[in-house]
Amino acid sequence: MAVAAMYMQARQMARCPARLSLSPTCRRNLSVSASVSGLKVLFFGSDEFGERVLRELEGNRIGTQPCIDHLEVVCPKAQYYMKRDKKVYTYQSPVDKHATKKGLIAHHPFPASMSSWMLPMVDGGNISGQFDIGVVASFGRFLPPRIINGFKSGMINVHPSLLPKYRGPSPIQTAILNGDSVTGVTIQEIHPSVIDGGKVLAQAPYPIPPTAPSIQLIEEMGTLGGQLTLKVLRDLAFAREKSIEQDETKVSHTRLFDREDSVIVWEEMTAEDIFR
């Protein structure tokens, strides 16, 4: 299939969750007859990718056939100062903004580490007790085994690459810089010691448009990731039964980019390099 045709198919899937179908090469078959409901989910995220995943989960919660009954959020604390008795924000993560807009309970852990943070209990009026599962999407902090094991059904992670390719903090940007024509989204188990090294539960491809900016990929892949997460949540037992270990011989890693990476070296770079 041509890249342009694949791209249009991916955008159509992002608009129509019911039509979501995984490629034969990436598919981890999920039952269409699963009817899991009543899940209490704690979502961990921060950036635009995480916010798009959260939108899909929240949309399911308030939808006509939800599998999520209660949803709370863990995200970085907003930074602000007071001016004439009003909050003036210097930074508020996209996930925190969405939680505030939708009236979701948001928990803000300590800035530096999750090591001493205590997992909250459900705070939902008539709904109480322990969360069923944790869902992570671009949270940016290492989660110790104590937190992973604090959920009835553990934790899963939404990662914007076809793992084991592009583990780490910048898989979308790295795919663009490397000139890849196709990337994708992976739902994986949270590994207790290896970042992005958990068992693969599901994957879906995403063709990269030649001229697309990174924010377009982040938003559309986040939507795709949220839809795929819901499919996994509806049939988690089956997804785990059919999960696969990552091939360690095919692992590649990404890194955080800084301002120096945006410097143009005219004598060495092609026009395509500069555009990316």
Side-chain angles (χ1 to χ4, degrees), residues 231-244:
K231 292 180 73 72
V232 169
L233 290 177
R234 289 187 182 277
D235 206 358
L236 183 60
F238 185 83
R240 282 177 166 160
E241 178 187 344
K242 299 298 182 180
S243 65
I244 62 169

Side-chain angles (χ1 to χ4, degrees), residues 97-117:
K97 288 180 181 178
H98 188 81
T100 301
K101 178 181 178 181
K102 295 298 181 178
L104 298 174
I105 296 172
H107 305 272
H108 303 110
F110 300 113
S113 172
M114 299 291 289
S115 60
S116 59
W117 185 71

Side-chain angles (χ1 to χ4, degrees), residues 62-94:
I62 62 176
T64 57
Q65 293 181 315
C67 66
I68 298 173
D69 187 46
H70 184 78
L71 179 64
E72 296 182 27
V73 171
V74 181
C75 59
K77 186 176 182 179
Q79 301 173 20
Y80 62 88
Y81 64 90
M82 300 299 295
K83 183 177 181 180
R84 296 178 182 175
D85 297 326
K86 292 185 178 180
K87 290 182 179 179
V88 179
Y89 287 100
T90 57
Y91 173 76
Q92 186 179 22
S93 72

Side-chain angles (χ1 to χ4, degrees), residues 80-245:
Y80 62 88
Y81 64 90
M82 300 299 295
K83 183 177 181 180
R84 296 178 182 175
D85 297 326
K86 292 185 178 180
K87 290 182 179 179
V88 179
Y89 287 100
T90 57
Y91 173 76
Q92 186 179 22
S93 72
V95 165
D96 198 25
K97 288 180 181 178
H98 188 81
T100 301
K101 178 181 178 181
K102 295 298 181 178
L104 298 174
I105 296 172
H107 305 272
H108 303 110
F110 300 113
S113 172
M114 299 291 289
S115 60
S116 59
W117 185 71
M118 299 302 296
L119 192 65
M121 299 297 284
V122 173
D123 182 11
N126 295 330
I127 304 174
S128 61
Q130 184 183 5
F131 283 96
D132 294 306
I133 192 167
V135 176
V136 183
S138 293
F139 183 55
R141 302 184 190 181
F142 178 75
L143 297 170
R146 173 182 58 81
I147 293 179
I148 299 171
N149 298 330
F151 293 91
K152 295 178 182 179
S153 299
M155 302 185 75
I156 60 175
N157 172 249
V158 191
H159 185 77
S161 80
L162 296 176
L163 291 171
K165 188 175 184 179
Y166 297 153
R167 291 180 182 176
S170 58
I172 293 177
Q173 294 85 348
T174 301
I176 293 174
L177 287 172
N178 288 346
D180 294 354
S181 60
V182 178
T183 183
V185 177
T186 298
I187 311 299
Q188 60 166 333
E189 298 274 17
I190 296 285
H191 195 285
S193 59
V194 180
I195 295 177
D196 298 328
K199 290 183 178 180
V200 173
L201 301 174
Q203 291 183 316
Y206 176 88
I208 301 175
T211 60
S214 61
I215 189 61
Q216 177 182 331
L217 271 66
I218 288 169
E219 292 177 349
E220 293 185 355
M221 291 176 67
T223 299
L224 185 64
Q227 294 166 3
L228 189 59
T229 300
L230 290 170
K231 292 180 73 72
V232 169
L233 290 177
R234 289 187 182 277
D235 206 358
L236 183 60
F238 185 83
R240 282 177 166 160
E241 178 187 344
K242 299 298 182 180
S243 65
I244 62 169
E245 298 282 356

